[in-house]
Amino acid sequence: MKKITLLGLSIGLGFAVHAQNSTTKDPSTIVISPSQTLSKGDTVFRKAISNWSEKTLKSKDYAAIKAHPSAAIFPGKVKDGYQFVNRKINIEHQKISEILVPIVSKLDYSGKWNDNLYSTGLYALPGEYIEIDVPKSIDTKGLKVQIGSHSDKLNWWVAGNEDWRRMPIIVKNQELGTGKVRLASPFGGLIYISYPPRGESWKGEITIKHAIEAPFFQLGKTTLEQWQQQLANNKAPWGEITTPNVVITLPDSVLQKIKDPVYTMKLWDLIIAGEMDLAQIPMPFYRAQRFVIDEHIGGGFMHSGYPMMVHHSPSRRLLSADVIANPDLLMKPSKGGANWGFFHEIGHNMQNMDWVFGGTTEVSNNLFSMYMFDRLLGGREDAHSGISNENTQKAMKKYFVEGPSYEKWKKDPFLGLISFRQLQEAFGWETFKTFFREYHQLPFEGRRVNDQEKIDFFVKTFSAKANKNIAPFFKTWGIPVSDKVNSELEKYQSWMPFNFPPKN
């Protein structure tokens, strides 16, 4: 699956101290951490670690699984004084509605058909078994248990060429049948029940034993007093704050700072609702959006998907989780910082691939960032340096002095965003909403797949919704529009922004 990352934020901070020489360690005992990284140059040993991790995580011989020493650093050590608990977990799976299927089918960056994750509020200790009992009343076709939240694998994509700051593969998935089963992970982690989104609806009670409790706030269900008790008694290194629309997986160090989870999660509900409002995707959606904080992700500062992954590394001064948990920071313009990034990644999850043409993957999703700044923060001032007045004028002048070129336009996302901003400023957010709604009606079969077809249909559709011919505008930018579409749009009055291309 293609991952989409937050543009333009470097993660290469500082110098790494590399882990022990590979000749003296083996995959089952190596310690990898932010201060003791494993060099990208140690390719042979890195492959051996990945193979060992994959094999061990697939093993069903739970009694043979031992805690890996790296687990004490990441995902983290369970605090002393923990007690094992047994819990009955009520799960209700709702099959995605037929109305949503054609819409979701086009959201290629969203991890659209990844199994739904159902949080349990329980944590598995590294090297310790958990027992799961599934009643006969549940259809187990597609039913799985997952131990661990940090599902990015570091042995490929961008992380495959970076020094590792944690073990590369640390999440265990295992199919479930009816009856009791025991399983264990060398890394431990939060426990989830998973099921395919297109699987038939069901509800049931699954029993999980020999786990420990983890902080689990559910908006509308968990009281402030209960939350405070959870934090005071917590022994798990990770927990979650949730609403029906968003689930955020955070380390204990950040959870302990959340004194008003109701206010925090109501704000996150607003953010999700706002982005879906612009996309014109009906709510409630078929599942909540998910954010998972991680010491080292597959690529970028953040990336889209299910879950969306976010770097949070205190040793590298990447403190994204603090912004997630603090509405005062989340609602403060950051010139392209974490809040722009969160809005940007949710925007990727909203991108209908029928209106994403060449060069716009990292462009059209930023409409959602701007919409959030307009609607939640009162405007775009200091939203991102890339959309400042100075940079906008400088970029346009340089581009048109050198001569318009679609190939150059495609390579500069903030230049491309100027084009989309001009459309938005002229025709408003409501025109974009009607434009997006039109795309929801298109059948999945026979989709437009090449650039020219997508550009032509974009220009035709937007012109119809704006009641203006935007083909000359696209051509002025150097974006090709076919002769056929040019002819079809002659029935509308041509539109061009004032002072464009810029004369001053």
Side-chain angles (χ1 to χ4, degrees):
M1 180 183 70
K2 183 176 181 180
K3 300 287 187 180
I4 302 300
T5 65
L6 178 61
L7 178 75
L9 288 175
S10 171
I11 61 172
L13 303 175
F15 296 94
V17 177
H18 298 310
Q20 298 97 319
N21 188 300
S22 60
T23 60
T24 64
K25 304 298 292 183
D26 67 54
S28 66
T29 59
I30 187 73
V31 174
I32 304 177
S33 72
S35 62
Q36 199 165 296
T37 62
L38 186 59
S39 170
K40 61 186 177 184
D42 203 347
T43 56
V44 174
F45 189 47
R46 282 160 67 108
K47 185 175 181 180
I49 290 174
S50 298
N51 290 341
W52 176 89
S53 298
E54 292 272 20
K55 181 179 178 180
T56 305
L57 288 164
K58 289 178 181 176
S59 173
K60 295 183 179 180
D61 185 4
Y62 71 90
I65 303 298
K66 308 300 179 186
H68 194 279
S70 289
I73 302 167
F74 194 89
K77 189 177 187 299
V78 173
K79 297 175 187 176
D80 294 336
Y82 65 83
Q83 292 184 340
F84 289 115
V85 296
N86 303 332
R87 289 287 183 270
K88 293 183 183 296
I89 308 297
N90 289 302
I91 294 174
E92 183 171 356
H93 169 75
Q94 189 70 41
K95 179 182 178 180
I96 183 172
S97 73
E98 292 303 316
I99 294 173
L100 281 175
V101 168
I103 297 174
V104 172
S105 294
K106 301 168 190 174
L107 307 181
D108 288 6
Y109 299 141
S110 68
K112 54 191 177 183
W113 302 131
N114 289 2
D115 286 355
N116 290 4
L117 293 174
Y118 295 98
S119 302
T120 66
L122 296 174
Y123 197 92
L125 272 66
E128 290 278 357
Y129 76 85
I130 60 171
E131 182 177 285
I132 299 183
D133 190 356
V134 180
K136 293 180 180 179
S137 59
I138 294 177
D139 181 359
T140 59
K141 183 180 179 181
L143 186 69
K144 296 176 185 175
V145 58
Q146 176 172 310
I147 299 177
S149 313
H150 305 92
S151 52
D152 270 14
K153 296 182 178 182
L154 308 186
N155 60 337
W156 73 294
W157 199 27
V158 179
N161 295 308
E162 296 175 331
D163 297 335
W164 289 343
R165 304 195 304 277
R166 65 161 171 85
M167 286 288 283
I169 305 167
I170 61 174
V171 167
K172 180 180 180 69
N173 287 281
Q174 185 168 313
E175 293 180 355
L176 292 173
T178 56
K180 297 178 181 179
V181 64
R182 289 183 174 183
L183 64 151
S185 162
F187 306 107
L190 289 169
I191 302 169
Y192 303 91
I193 301 298
S194 67
Y195 203 74
R198 287 183 283 191
E200 294 300 323
S201 300
W202 61 271
K203 59 181 177 181
E205 190 176 72
I206 293 176
T207 301
I208 301 177
K209 296 182 179 180
H210 208 246
I212 68 169
E213 292 179 324
F216 186 40
F217 177 83
Q218 297 173 281
L219 184 65
K221 295 182 179 180
T222 309
T223 67
L224 182 58
E225 182 181 10
Q226 288 170 333
W227 176 244
Q228 291 170 341
Q229 289 175 347
Q230 288 185 37
L231 293 182
N233 299 327
N234 181 40
K235 307 299 181 186
W238 291 85
E240 294 182 325
I241 49 177
T242 77
T243 82
N245 303 307
V246 61
V247 179
I248 305 175
T249 306
L250 292 164
D252 175 68
S253 60
V254 177
L255 291 168
Q256 295 292 338
K257 300 175 184 178
I258 303 176
K259 304 306 179 186
D260 191 349
V262 173
Y263 178 58
T264 300
M265 296 315 291
K266 282 185 175 180
L267 178 56
W268 275 103
D269 255 0
L270 268 178
I271 292 168
I272 299 300
E275 301 231 4
M276 294 184 77
D277 176 57
L278 177 57
Q280 289 293 282
I281 295 174
M283 291 182 70
F285 208 30
Y286 69 115
R287 63 185 178 195
Q289 302 287 331
R290 281 185 173 268
F291 281 105
V292 173
I293 307 306
D294 199 333
E295 170 63 43
H296 196 166
I297 68 175
F301 178 58
M302 304 179 188
H303 72 67
S304 59
Y306 182 82
M308 289 173 274
M309 300 298 297
V310 182
H311 261 118
H312 180 79
S313 178
S315 67
R316 295 164 67 83
R317 302 187 299 281
L318 297 170
L319 303 178
S320 310
D322 292 340
V323 177
I324 277 184
N326 186 343
D328 291 336
L329 292 175
L330 190 59
M331 290 295 100
K332 183 178 180 180
S334 58
K335 297 184 179 180
N339 53 3
W340 175 279
F342 296 131
F343 304 155
H344 172 109
E345 297 307 335
I346 303 168
H348 274 309
N349 278 11
M350 301 292 136
Q351 281 178 307
N352 179 322
M353 295 309 295
D354 283 351
W355 46 256
V356 177
F357 57 87
T360 64
T361 291
E362 295 290 347
V363 176
S364 55
N365 67 312
N366 279 327
L367 287 167
F368 295 87
S369 297
M370 293 193 303
Y371 189 70
M372 288 294 95
F373 273 88
D374 283 359
R375 294 294 179 259
L376 288 184
L377 279 77
R380 305 172 195 174
E381 185 178 355
D382 289 335
H384 197 296
S385 58
I387 64 171
S388 69
N389 292 343
E390 179 182 359
N391 286 337
T392 296
Q393 287 299 99
K394 185 185 299 183
M396 276 206 295
K397 287 178 183 178
K398 182 175 185 294
Y399 179 72
F400 284 104
V401 165
E402 294 176 351
S405 161
Y406 183 42
E407 291 306 312
K408 286 195 290 186
W409 185 90
K410 287 194 293 185
K411 294 175 183 177
D412 188 342
F414 280 106
L415 179 72
L417 187 57
I418 296 172
S419 310
F420 282 77
R421 287 165 55 198
Q422 288 173 313
L423 290 173
Q424 189 278 320
E425 288 160 5
F427 300 108
W429 288 122
E430 295 308 311
T431 300
F432 268 98
K433 290 178 185 180
T434 59
F435 171 77
F436 291 149
R437 280 200 303 273
E438 183 71 18
Y439 275 79
H440 295 329
Q441 311 305 316
L442 300 177
F444 184 78
E445 297 76 14
R447 295 172 68 187
R448 293 152 188 84
V449 293
N450 68 52
D451 252 11
Q452 194 59 62
E453 288 177 335
K454 287 187 176 185
I455 292 169
D456 282 351
F457 197 76
F458 187 106
V459 172
K460 280 179 59 175
T461 306
F462 200 93
S463 294
K465 300 307 173 186
N467 200 32
K468 297 285 185 181
N469 179 4
I470 67 167
F473 169 71
F474 266 57
K475 291 169 69 177
T476 300
W477 270 109
I479 305 170
V481 180
S482 70
D483 291 340
K484 181 175 183 293
V485 168
N486 276 314
S487 298
E488 289 179 15
L489 296 180
E490 287 178 354
K491 61 186 177 181
Y492 298 113
Q493 181 182 2
S494 293
W495 171 80
M496 196 75 71
F498 175 73
N499 191 32
F500 176 74
K503 306 293 190 300
N504 61 317

